[in-house]
Amino acid sequence: MGKVKLPLKRGFGKTDRRDDWWKGPTAMAAYLGFMIIYATWRGFMESDFLFFSDFGASSCENWDSAKSFKDVSECQTMSIEQGSHVLSPLYSPLIFPQSSWIPIELWWMSPAMFILVFPAGFRGTCYYYRKAYYRAFFQQPTGCAVSKPWNEYSGERGILVVQNLHRMFMYIALIYLPILTYDFWLSINFHDSTGDYFGVSVGSLILLLNLILLSGYTFGCHAFRHVVGGGSNDWTGSTISRFKYKMWKFSTKLNERHKDWALISLFWVMFADFYIWICQDFGFTDFVLIGGL
Ligand code: FES
């Protein structure tokens, strides 16, 4: 049977719809566009590359030989060092380009460039984000029952089969959660020459909330929900199946608000990084609320 064309008005953005259908995709384009620009800027900031080498760690005299935070902690914007260690999530886990296992041609890169590819891949292939950016940036579609500028939608074929990697990115994203937990742990451990002390600063609370939001986003992932509950036709017969059922219910609950977890967690990652950046670059204090030195 041949294709049946719907009686749509023709011409970009033409439609019989009377609601403000364009508001959602426009707001999403602005939001995602801003986040992508900010993350790219910050990803380059600590690199030893063109004019970026005037900023951040690479402007340090000992950048070329730096192997750890301490070597560049005076001038880096990746973390706050005020007795404890509050690391920006954009740079976690911290991989210095000077590490011996990294090829010499990559020494100009910033630590963020080594690891941002995985969170970016996870979000870029996320089922929710795909819907959002296909509409916001590529007009595929422009909106339901709204005429679009390009050819008919032909599905996720060709280069877009790469979206099938989402489950792999999800497995990697799961590894980030214990790493971010460790970062939070470091942020509440204060040290000086007299010993180790527990403390909670504004920065550590920001990292904790970041961990909670990213956990909500990751455990509500459609692929995670399928891993824990897919292919099961027995929820009660064994301890494992009862555990799987509980996990599936938990993931389903989070999945119902996956859009919210996706958008708010993205904002909070950037905000956490922004807070650490301004504390380091503009001399603000990360207030210690409990304990500390
Ligand atoms: S579907 Fe959104 S993170 Fe997996």
Side-chain angles (χ1 to χ4, degrees):
M1 199 170 105
K3 281 187 186 168
V4 178
K5 293 238 179 214
L6 293 172
L8 271 182
K9 285 190 172 171
R10 295 287 150 195
F12 179 34
K14 292 265 171 46
T15 182
D16 285 322
R17 285 176 64 169
R18 304 184 142 209
D19 60 332
D20 295 330
W21 61 269
W22 51 271
K23 278 188 180 169
T26 306
M28 191 56 63
Y31 180 73
L32 292 180
F34 179 79
M35 294 300 168
I36 291 167
I37 290 169
Y38 177 82
T40 307
W41 163 258
R42 285 289 289 147
F44 273 92
M45 186 180 269
E46 301 286 350
S47 68
D48 200 10
F49 176 67
L50 293 178
F51 68 90
F52 291 100
S53 58
D54 292 341
F55 298 92
S58 59
S59 62
C60 283
E61 284 173 11
N62 56 351
W63 167 246
D64 288 337
S65 58
K67 292 277 189 301
S68 71
F69 261 131
K70 294 244 173 326
D71 297 338
V72 290
S73 58
E74 291 291 297
C75 46
Q76 50 85 13
T77 62
M78 296 178 278
S79 72
I80 304 167
E81 308 287 338
Q82 276 181 207
S84 76
H85 177 71
V86 185
L87 175 63
S88 161
L90 285 187
Y91 289 90
S92 179
L94 185 67
I95 299 172
F96 267 85
Q98 293 81 1
S99 301
S100 54
W101 54 273
I102 292 176
I104 195 164
E105 311 84 58
L106 302 181
W107 281 13
W108 57 271
M109 292 176 77
S110 88
M113 291 178 191
F114 291 109
I115 45 103
L116 278 184
V117 61
F118 297 111
F122 184 48
R123 288 190 186 259
T125 57
C126 163
Y127 300 0
Y128 168 69
Y129 278 111
R130 271 143 77 177
K131 175 204 161 195
Y133 70 77
Y134 284 173
R135 287 173 188 234
F137 295 136
F138 302 121
Q139 308 301 313
Q140 285 284 27
T142 299
C144 289
V146 180
S147 185
K148 63 196 186 70
W150 328 113
N151 299 332
E152 296 301 318
Y153 177 66
S154 56
E156 290 181 314
R157 293 191 289 184
I159 184 120
L160 289 179
V161 293
V162 79
Q163 304 283 25
N164 292 333
L165 289 175
H166 184 61
R167 178 177 287 224
M168 300 302 135
F169 281 117
M170 185 273 292
Y171 291 135
I172 298 172
L174 287 173
I175 299 169
Y176 277 70
L177 298 179
I179 293 171
L180 293 172
T181 306
Y182 179 65
D183 288 341
F184 169 66
W185 170 253
L186 290 182
S187 77
I188 58 174
N189 276 280
F190 287 69
H191 308 274
D192 68 6
S193 53
T194 59
D196 301 343
Y197 306 91
F198 169 77
V200 177
S201 70
V202 174
S204 46
L205 288 181
I206 288 175
L207 291 196
L208 177 61
L209 189 51
N210 184 54
L211 174 64
I212 293 169
L213 290 169
L214 285 178
S215 300
Y217 174 55
T218 308
F219 292 134
C221 164
H222 292 72
F224 180 82
R225 182 169 171 266
H226 185 259
V227 165
V228 294
S232 300
N233 53 15
D234 169 22
W235 291 129
T236 55
S238 67
T239 309
I240 299 248
S241 55
R242 283 191 291 277
F243 177 70
K244 281 184 74 173
Y245 178 58
K246 280 199 176 126
M247 289 290 289
W248 176 79
K249 285 235 315 191
F250 172 63
S251 182
T252 300
K253 200 85 206 141
L254 294 171
N255 184 265
E256 285 164 3
R257 306 291 298 267
H258 193 53
K259 170 186 174 185
D260 299 334
W261 289 106
L263 296 180
I264 297 170
S265 65
L266 179 65
F267 169 80
W268 202 257
V269 169
M270 303 304 165
F271 176 75
D273 174 78
F274 179 72
Y275 176 79
I276 288 159
W277 173 21
I278 60 169
C279 280
Q280 278 298 86
D281 239 10
F282 299 93
F284 296 153
T285 303
D286 179 29
F287 286 106
V288 179
L289 306 170
I290 303 169
L293 296 178

